[in-house]
Amino acid sequence: MIKNKFTILSVAVLLILGTFSIVNAATSSLYVSPAVLDKNIDDTFMVAVSIAPNGLKVCAVEGELSLDNLSCQGIVLGEGVMAQKSPSCSGPTFLIGIPSCTTENKTLFTMTIQGENEGSAVVDIVGVDVVGEGVPLPFTLSKGTYNLSKGTV
């Protein structure tokens, strides 16, 4: 009888731990969109940096923009976010808070950019931290890669 109670208790503990593992397996996504684009060098275009919580509760995102073969023309914060440190063309680091946190996809900011030279160009984010309610959250990161040409696209 004691052995059966121990077995039932062991199974219950494993089920509970398995449930926590599934819940903690969620990973938020920080991404640049559009992810891929063909543009002329002379064109200015907009990209957005957004967070997809994917089941987690995201409260803040920190990082630094990295532009390769692109020049920043301007940056505007998204709706419903507050910047402790706002990104700018001259200062690409940011710390953006989301009041009351979010479990929904949210645009953190949009950026107007222009190509510098023909070839490949990239918008990346480095030094990233995604924070939940006082805890760091797991995340994936997707950059934007653009093909710049001198001809008509």
Side-chain angles (χ1 to χ4, degrees), residues 12-90:
V13 168
L14 288 174
L15 287 174
I16 291 170
L17 290 175
T19 302
F20 284 120
S21 295
I22 291 169
V23 170
N24 290 334
T27 300
S28 59
S29 298
L30 183 63
Y31 62 96
V32 177
S33 69
V36 177
L37 193 62
D38 292 329
K39 291 304 261 183
N40 290 323
I41 295 171
D42 297 333
D43 293 342
T44 57
F45 58 100
M46 292 185 69
V47 298
V49 174
S50 303
I51 187 78
N54 298 327
L56 299 174
K57 192 170 189 179
V58 175
C59 301
V61 179
E62 179 179 31
E64 181 176 352
L65 290 168
S66 173
L67 304 179
D68 180 31
N69 198 25
L70 295 164
S71 64
C72 175
Q73 307 296 306
I75 299 176
V76 177
L77 284 179
E79 285 188 38
V81 300
M82 297 176 61
Q84 182 172 346
K85 182 167 186 167
S86 187
S88 67
C89 291
S90 60

Coordinates of all heavy atoms in Angstrom, one line a residue, residues 12-90:
A12 N 2.5 12.1 -9.9 CA 1.9 13.5 -9.8 C 3.0 14.5 -9.8 O 2.8 15.5 -10.5 CB 1.1 13.6 -8.5
V13 N 4.1 14.3 -9.1 CA 5.2 15.2 -9.2 C 5.8 15.4 -10.6 O 6.0 16.5 -11.0 CB 6.3 14.8 -8.1 CG1 7.6 15.6 -8.4 CG2 5.8 15.0 -6.7
L14 N 5.9 14.3 -11.3 CA 6.5 14.3 -12.6 C 5.5 15.1 -13.6 O 6.0 15.8 -14.4 CB 6.7 12.9 -13.2 CG 7.9 12.2 -12.5 CD1 8.0 10.7 -13.0 CD2 9.2 12.9 -12.9
L15 N 4.2 14.9 -13.4 CA 3.3 15.6 -14.2 C 3.3 17.1 -14.0 O 3.3 17.9 -14.9 CB 1.9 15.1 -14.0 CG 1.5 13.7 -14.6 CD1 0.1 13.2 -14.1 CD2 1.6 13.8 -16.1
I16 N 3.4 17.5 -12.7 CA 3.5 18.9 -12.4 C 4.8 19.5 -12.9 O 4.8 20.5 -13.5 CB 3.4 19.1 -10.8 CG1 2.0 18.7 -10.4 CG2 3.8 20.5 -10.4 CD1 1.9 18.7 -8.9
L17 N 5.9 18.8 -12.7 CA 7.2 19.3 -13.3 C 7.2 19.4 -14.8 O 7.7 20.3 -15.4 CB 8.4 18.4 -12.8 CG 8.7 18.5 -11.3 CD1 9.8 17.5 -10.9 CD2 9.1 19.9 -10.9
G18 N 6.6 18.4 -15.4 CA 6.5 18.4 -16.9 C 5.6 19.6 -17.3 O 6.0 20.2 -18.4
T19 N 4.6 19.9 -16.6 CA 3.8 21.1 -17.0 C 4.6 22.4 -16.9 O 4.5 23.2 -17.8 CB 2.5 21.2 -16.0 OG1 1.8 20.0 -16.1 CG2 1.7 22.4 -16.4
F20 N 5.4 22.5 -15.8 CA 6.2 23.7 -15.7 C 7.3 23.8 -16.8 O 7.6 24.8 -17.3 CB 6.9 23.8 -14.3 CG 6.0 24.2 -13.2 CD1 5.8 23.4 -12.1 CD2 5.4 25.4 -13.3 CE1 5.0 23.8 -11.1 CE2 4.6 25.8 -12.2 CZ 4.3 25.0 -11.2
S21 N 7.8 22.6 -17.2 CA 8.8 22.6 -18.3 C 8.1 23.1 -19.6 O 8.7 23.8 -20.4 CB 9.4 21.2 -18.5 OG 10.1 20.9 -17.3
I22 N 6.9 22.7 -19.8 CA 6.2 23.1 -21.1 C 6.0 24.6 -21.0 O 6.2 25.3 -22.0 CB 4.9 22.3 -21.2 CG1 5.2 20.8 -21.6 CG2 4.0 22.9 -22.3 CD1 4.0 19.9 -21.5
V23 N 5.5 25.1 -19.9 CA 5.2 26.5 -19.8 C 6.5 27.3 -20.0 O 6.5 28.3 -20.7 CB 4.6 26.8 -18.4 CG1 4.5 28.3 -18.1 CG2 3.2 26.2 -18.3
N24 N 7.6 26.9 -19.4 CA 8.8 27.6 -19.5 C 9.5 27.5 -20.8 O 10.5 28.1 -21.1 CB 9.8 27.2 -18.4 CG 9.3 27.7 -17.0 OD1 8.6 28.7 -16.9 ND2 9.7 27.0 -16.0
A25 N 9.0 26.6 -21.7 CA 9.6 26.3 -23.0 C 9.3 27.5 -23.9 O 9.9 27.6 -25.0 CB 9.2 25.0 -23.6
A26 N 8.3 28.4 -23.6 CA 8.0 29.5 -24.4 C 9.2 30.4 -24.6 O 10.0 30.6 -23.7 CB 6.8 30.2 -23.9
T27 N 9.3 31.0 -25.8 CA 10.4 31.9 -26.0 C 9.9 33.1 -26.8 O 9.2 33.0 -27.8 CB 11.5 31.2 -26.9 OG1 12.0 30.1 -26.2 CG2 12.6 32.1 -27.2
S28 N 10.1 34.3 -26.3 CA 9.7 35.5 -27.0 C 10.6 35.7 -28.2 O 11.6 35.2 -28.3 CB 9.8 36.7 -26.1 OG 11.1 36.9 -25.6
S29 N 10.1 36.6 -29.1 CA 10.8 36.8 -30.4 C 10.9 38.3 -30.6 O 9.9 39.1 -30.6 CB 10.1 36.3 -31.6 OG 10.0 34.9 -31.5
L30 N 12.2 38.8 -30.7 CA 12.4 40.2 -31.0 C 12.8 40.2 -32.5 O 13.7 39.4 -32.9 CB 13.6 40.8 -30.2 CG 13.9 42.2 -30.4 CD1 12.8 43.1 -30.0 CD2 15.2 42.6 -29.6
Y31 N 12.1 41.0 -33.3 CA 12.3 40.9 -34.8 C 12.3 42.2 -35.5 O 11.6 43.1 -35.0 CB 11.4 39.9 -35.4 CG 9.9 40.2 -35.3 CD1 9.3 40.9 -36.3 CD2 9.2 39.9 -34.1 CE1 7.9 41.3 -36.2 CE2 7.9 40.3 -34.0 CZ 7.2 40.9 -35.0 OH 5.9 41.3 -34.9
V32 N 12.9 42.3 -36.6 CA 12.9 43.4 -37.5 C 12.0 43.0 -38.7 O 12.2 42.0 -39.2 CB 14.3 43.8 -38.0 CG1 14.3 44.9 -39.0 CG2 15.2 44.1 -36.8
S33 N 11.1 43.9 -39.0 CA 10.3 43.6 -40.2 C 10.2 44.9 -41.1 O 10.2 46.0 -40.6 CB 8.9 43.2 -39.8 OG 8.1 44.3 -39.2
P34 N 10.2 44.7 -42.4 CA 10.3 43.4 -43.1 C 11.6 42.7 -42.9 O 12.6 43.4 -42.7 CB 10.0 43.8 -44.5 CG 10.5 45.2 -44.7 CD 10.2 45.8 -43.4
A35 N 11.6 41.4 -42.9 CA 12.8 40.6 -42.7 C 13.7 40.7 -44.0 O 14.9 40.6 -43.8 CB 12.4 39.2 -42.4
V36 N 13.1 40.7 -45.1 CA 13.8 40.7 -46.4 C 13.1 41.7 -47.3 O 11.9 41.8 -47.4 CB 13.8 39.3 -47.1 CG1 14.5 39.3 -48.4 CG2 14.4 38.3 -46.1
L37 N 14.0 42.5 -48.1 CA 13.4 43.5 -49.0 C 14.4 43.9 -50.0 O 15.6 43.9 -49.8 CB 13.1 44.7 -48.1 CG 12.2 45.8 -48.8 CD1 10.8 45.3 -49.1 CD2 12.1 47.0 -47.8
D38 N 14.0 44.1 -51.2 CA 14.8 44.7 -52.3 C 14.5 46.1 -52.5 O 13.3 46.5 -52.7 CB 14.6 43.9 -53.6 CG 15.0 42.5 -53.6 OD1 16.0 42.2 -52.9 OD2 14.4 41.7 -54.3
K39 N 15.5 47.0 -52.4 CA 15.3 48.5 -52.6 C 16.4 49.1 -53.4 O 17.5 48.6 -53.5 CB 15.3 49.1 -51.2 CG 14.1 48.8 -50.3 CD 12.8 49.1 -50.9 CE 12.2 50.4 -50.5 NZ 10.9 50.6 -51.0
N40 N 16.1 50.3 -53.9 CA 17.1 51.1 -54.6 C 17.9 51.9 -53.5 O 17.3 52.2 -52.4 CB 16.4 52.1 -55.5 CG 15.9 51.4 -56.7 OD1 16.4 50.5 -57.3 ND2 14.7 51.9 -57.2
I41 N 19.1 52.2 -53.8 CA 20.0 52.9 -52.8 C 19.3 54.2 -52.4 O 19.4 54.6 -51.3 CB 21.4 53.1 -53.4 CG1 22.1 51.7 -53.5 CG2 22.2 54.0 -52.5 CD1 23.4 51.8 -54.3
D42 N 18.7 54.9 -53.4 CA 18.2 56.3 -53.1 C 16.9 56.3 -52.4 O 16.5 57.3 -51.9 CB 18.0 57.0 -54.5 CG 19.3 57.2 -55.2 OD1 20.4 57.3 -54.5 OD2 19.3 57.4 -56.4
D43 N 16.2 55.1 -52.3 CA 14.9 55.0 -51.6 C 15.1 55.1 -50.1 O 16.0 54.5 -49.5 CB 14.2 53.7 -51.9 CG 13.8 53.6 -53.4 OD1 13.8 54.7 -54.0 OD2 13.5 52.5 -53.8
T44 N 14.2 55.8 -49.4 CA 14.1 55.7 -47.9 C 13.0 54.7 -47.7 O 12.0 54.7 -48.4 CB 13.9 57.0 -47.2 OG1 12.7 57.6 -47.8 CG2 15.0 58.0 -47.4
F45 N 13.1 53.9 -46.6 CA 12.1 53.0 -46.3 C 12.0 52.8 -44.8 O 12.9 53.1 -44.1 CB 12.2 51.6 -47.1 CG 13.5 50.9 -46.9 CD1 13.6 49.9 -46.0 CD2 14.7 51.3 -47.6 CE1 14.8 49.2 -45.8 CE2 15.9 50.6 -47.4 CZ 15.9 49.5 -46.5
M46 N 10.9 52.2 -44.3 CA 10.7 52.0 -42.9 C 10.8 50.6 -42.5 O 10.4 49.7 -43.3 CB 9.3 52.6 -42.5 CG 9.2 54.1 -42.6 SD 7.6 54.7 -42.0 CE 7.8 54.4 -40.3
V47 N 11.4 50.4 -41.4 CA 11.4 49.0 -40.8 C 10.9 49.2 -39.3 O 11.0 50.3 -38.7 CB 12.8 48.4 -40.8 CG1 13.3 48.2 -42.2 CG2 13.8 49.2 -40.0
A48 N 10.3 48.1 -38.8 CA 9.8 48.1 -37.4 C 10.6 47.1 -36.6 O 11.0 46.0 -37.1 CB 8.4 47.8 -37.4
V49 N 10.8 47.5 -35.4 CA 11.4 46.5 -34.4 C 10.3 46.2 -33.4 O 9.7 47.1 -32.8 CB 12.6 47.1 -33.7 CG1 13.1 46.2 -32.6 CG2 13.7 47.4 -34.7
S50 N 10.0 44.9 -33.4 CA 8.8 44.5 -32.6 C 9.1 43.3 -31.7 O 10.1 42.6 -31.9 CB 7.7 44.1 -33.5 OG 7.3 45.1 -34.4
I51 N 8.3 43.1 -30.7 CA 8.4 41.9 -29.8 C 7.2 41.1 -29.9 O 6.1 41.6 -29.9 CB 8.7 42.4 -28.3 CG1 9.0 41.2 -27.4 CG2 7.5 43.2 -27.8 CD1 10.4 40.6 -27.5
A52 N 7.3 39.8 -30.0 CA 6.3 38.8 -30.0 C 6.5 38.0 -28.7 O 7.4 37.2 -28.6 CB 6.3 37.9 -31.2
P53 N 5.7 38.2 -27.7 CA 5.9 37.5 -26.4 C 5.7 36.0 -26.5 O 6.3 35.2 -25.6 CB 4.8 38.1 -25.5 CG 4.6 39.4 -26.0 CD 4.7 39.2 -27.5
N54 N 4.9 35.5 -27.4 CA 4.7 34.0 -27.6 C 4.3 33.3 -26.3 O 4.9 32.3 -25.9 CB 5.9 33.4 -28.2 CG 6.2 33.9 -29.6 OD1 5.2 34.3 -30.3 ND2 7.4 34.0 -30.0
G55 N 3.3 33.9 -25.6 CA 2.9 33.3 -24.3 C 3.5 33.7 -23.1 O 3.1 33.4 -22.0
L56 N 4.6 34.5 -23.2 CA 5.2 35.1 -22.0 C 4.7 36.5 -21.8 O 4.0 37.1 -22.6 CB 6.7 35.2 -22.2 CG 7.4 33.8 -22.4 CD1 8.9 34.0 -22.8 CD2 7.2 32.9 -21.2
K57 N 5.0 37.1 -20.6 CA 4.6 38.4 -20.2 C 5.9 39.3 -20.3 O 6.8 39.2 -19.5 CB 4.0 38.5 -18.9 CG 3.3 39.7 -18.5 CD 2.5 39.6 -17.2 CE 1.7 40.8 -17.0 NZ 0.9 40.7 -15.8
V58 N 6.0 40.2 -21.3 CA 7.2 41.0 -21.6 C 6.9 42.4 -21.0 O 5.9 43.0 -21.3 CB 7.5 41.1 -23.1 CG1 8.7 42.0 -23.3 CG2 7.8 39.7 -23.6
C59 N 7.9 42.9 -20.2 CA 7.8 44.2 -19.6 C 8.8 45.2 -20.1 O 8.5 46.4 -20.0 CB 7.9 44.0 -18.1 SG 6.7 42.9 -17.3
A60 N 9.9 44.7 -20.6 CA 10.9 45.7 -21.1 C 11.9 45.0 -22.1 O 12.0 43.7 -22.0 CB 11.8 46.2 -19.9
V61 N 12.4 45.8 -23.0 CA 13.4 45.2 -23.9 C 14.6 46.2 -24.0 O 14.3 47.4 -24.1 CB 12.8 45.1 -25.3 CG1 13.8 44.5 -26.3 CG2 11.5 44.1 -25.3
E62 N 15.8 45.7 -24.0 CA 17.0 46.5 -24.0 C 17.9 46.0 -25.2 O 17.9 44.8 -25.4 CB 17.7 46.4 -22.7 CG 19.0 47.2 -22.6 CD 19.6 47.1 -21.3 OE1 19.5 46.0 -20.6 OE2 20.3 48.1 -20.9
G63 N 18.5 46.9 -25.8 CA 19.5 46.5 -26.9 C 20.1 47.7 -27.6 O 20.0 48.8 -27.1
E64 N 20.8 47.4 -28.7 CA 21.5 48.4 -29.5 C 21.3 48.0 -30.9 O 21.5 46.9 -31.3 CB 23.0 48.4 -29.1 CG 23.7 49.5 -29.8 CD 25.2 49.6 -29.4 OE1 25.6 48.9 -28.4 OE2 25.9 50.3 -30.1
L65 N 20.9 49.1 -31.7 CA 20.8 48.9 -33.1 C 22.1 48.8 -33.8 O 23.1 49.5 -33.4 CB 20.0 50.1 -33.7 CG 18.5 50.1 -33.4 CD1 18.0 51.5 -33.8 CD2 17.8 49.0 -34.0
S66 N 22.2 47.9 -34.8 CA 23.4 47.8 -35.6 C 23.0 47.9 -37.0 O 22.3 47.1 -37.5 CB 24.1 46.5 -35.3 OG 25.2 46.3 -36.2
L67 N 23.5 48.9 -37.7 CA 23.1 49.1 -39.2 C 24.4 48.9 -40.0 O 25.4 49.5 -39.8 CB 22.6 50.6 -39.4 CG 21.4 51.0 -38.6 CD1 21.0 52.4 -38.9 CD2 20.3 50.1 -38.8
D68 N 24.2 48.0 -41.0 CA 25.3 47.7 -41.9 C 24.9 48.2 -43.3 O 23.9 47.7 -43.8 CB 25.6 46.2 -41.9 CG 26.8 45.9 -42.8 OD1 27.7 46.7 -43.1 OD2 26.8 44.8 -43.4
N69 N 25.6 49.1 -43.9 CA 25.3 49.7 -45.2 C 24.0 50.4 -45.3 O 23.4 50.5 -46.3 CB 25.4 48.6 -46.3 CG 25.6 49.1 -47.7 OD1 26.1 50.2 -47.9 ND2 25.1 48.3 -48.6
L70 N 23.6 51.0 -44.2 CA 22.3 51.7 -44.1 C 22.6 53.0 -43.2 O 23.4 53.0 -42.3 CB 21.2 50.9 -43.4 CG 20.8 49.7 -44.2 CD1 20.0 48.8 -43.2 CD2 19.9 50.1 -45.4
S71 N 21.9 54.1 -43.5 CA 22.0 55.3 -42.7 C 20.6 55.5 -42.1 O 19.6 55.4 -42.8 CB 22.5 56.5 -43.5 OG 21.6 56.8 -44.5
C72 N 20.6 55.9 -40.9 CA 19.3 56.1 -40.1 C 18.9 57.5 -40.5 O 19.6 58.5 -40.4 CB 19.6 56.0 -38.6 SG 18.2 56.4 -37.6
Q73 N 17.6 57.7 -40.8 CA 17.0 59.0 -41.1 C 16.1 59.5 -40.0 O 15.9 60.7 -39.8 CB 16.2 58.9 -42.4 CG 16.9 58.3 -43.6 CD 18.1 59.2 -44.0 OE1 17.9 60.4 -44.2 NE2 19.3 58.6 -44.0
G74 N 15.6 58.6 -39.1 CA 14.7 58.9 -38.0 C 14.1 57.7 -37.3 O 14.0 56.6 -37.9
I75 N 13.8 57.9 -36.0 CA 13.2 56.8 -35.2 C 12.1 57.3 -34.5 O 12.1 58.4 -33.9 CB 14.3 56.2 -34.3 CG1 15.5 55.6 -35.1 CG2 13.7 55.1 -33.4 CD1 16.6 55.0 -34.2
V76 N 10.9 56.6 -34.5 CA 9.7 56.9 -33.7 C 9.3 55.8 -32.8 O 9.2 54.6 -33.3 CB 8.6 57.3 -34.7 CG1 7.3 57.6 -34.0 CG2 9.0 58.4 -35.6
L77 N 9.1 56.1 -31.6 CA 8.6 55.0 -30.6 C 7.2 54.5 -31.0 O 6.4 55.3 -31.5 CB 8.5 55.6 -29.2 CG 9.8 55.7 -28.5 CD1 9.6 56.3 -27.1 CD2 10.6 54.4 -28.4
G78 N 6.9 53.3 -30.8 CA 5.6 52.7 -31.0 C 4.6 53.1 -30.0 O 5.0 53.7 -28.9
E79 N 3.4 52.9 -30.2 CA 2.3 53.2 -29.3 C 2.3 52.3 -28.1 O 2.6 51.1 -28.2 CB 0.9 53.1 -30.0 CG 0.7 54.2 -31.0 CD -0.8 54.1 -31.5 OE1 -1.7 53.8 -30.7 OE2 -1.0 54.4 -32.7
G80 N 2.0 52.9 -26.9 CA 1.9 52.2 -25.7 C 3.2 51.7 -25.1 O 3.2 50.8 -24.3
V81 N 4.3 52.3 -25.5 CA 5.6 52.0 -24.9 C 6.2 53.2 -24.3 O 5.9 54.4 -24.7 CB 6.6 51.3 -25.9 CG1 6.0 50.0 -26.4 CG2 7.0 52.3 -27.0
M82 N 7.1 53.1 -23.3 CA 7.8 54.2 -22.7 C 9.3 53.9 -22.8 O 9.7 52.8 -22.5 CB 7.4 54.4 -21.3 CG 5.9 54.7 -21.1 SD 5.4 54.8 -19.4 CE 6.5 56.2 -18.8
A83 N 10.1 54.9 -23.1 CA 11.5 54.7 -23.2 C 12.3 55.3 -22.0 O 12.1 56.4 -21.8 CB 12.1 55.3 -24.5
Q84 N 13.0 54.4 -21.3 CA 13.9 54.9 -20.3 C 15.1 55.5 -21.1 O 15.7 56.5 -20.7 CB 14.3 53.8 -19.4 CG 15.3 54.4 -18.3 CD 15.5 53.4 -17.2 OE1 14.8 52.3 -17.1 NE2 16.5 53.6 -16.4
K85 N 15.5 54.8 -22.2 CA 16.5 55.3 -23.1 C 16.0 55.0 -24.5 O 15.8 53.9 -24.9 CB 17.8 54.6 -22.8 CG 18.9 55.1 -23.7 CD 20.3 54.7 -23.3 CE 21.3 55.4 -24.2 NZ 22.6 55.3 -23.8
S86 N 15.7 56.1 -25.2 CA 15.1 56.0 -26.5 C 16.2 55.9 -27.6 O 17.2 56.6 -27.5 CB 14.3 57.2 -26.8 OG 13.6 57.1 -28.0
P87 N 16.0 55.0 -28.6 CA 17.0 55.0 -29.6 C 16.9 56.2 -30.5 O 15.9 56.8 -30.7 CB 16.6 53.7 -30.4 CG 15.2 53.6 -30.2 CD 14.9 54.1 -28.8
S88 N 18.1 56.6 -31.0 CA 18.1 57.7 -32.0 C 19.1 57.4 -33.0 O 19.9 56.5 -32.9 CB 18.5 59.0 -31.3 OG 19.8 59.0 -30.8
C89 N 19.1 58.2 -34.1 CA 20.1 57.9 -35.1 C 21.6 58.1 -34.7 O 22.5 57.4 -35.1 CB 19.8 58.8 -36.3 SG 18.3 58.4 -37.2
S90 N 21.7 59.0 -33.7 CA 23.1 59.2 -33.2 C 23.4 58.4 -32.0 O 24.6 58.2 -31.6 CB 23.3 60.7 -32.8 OG 22.3 61.1 -31.9

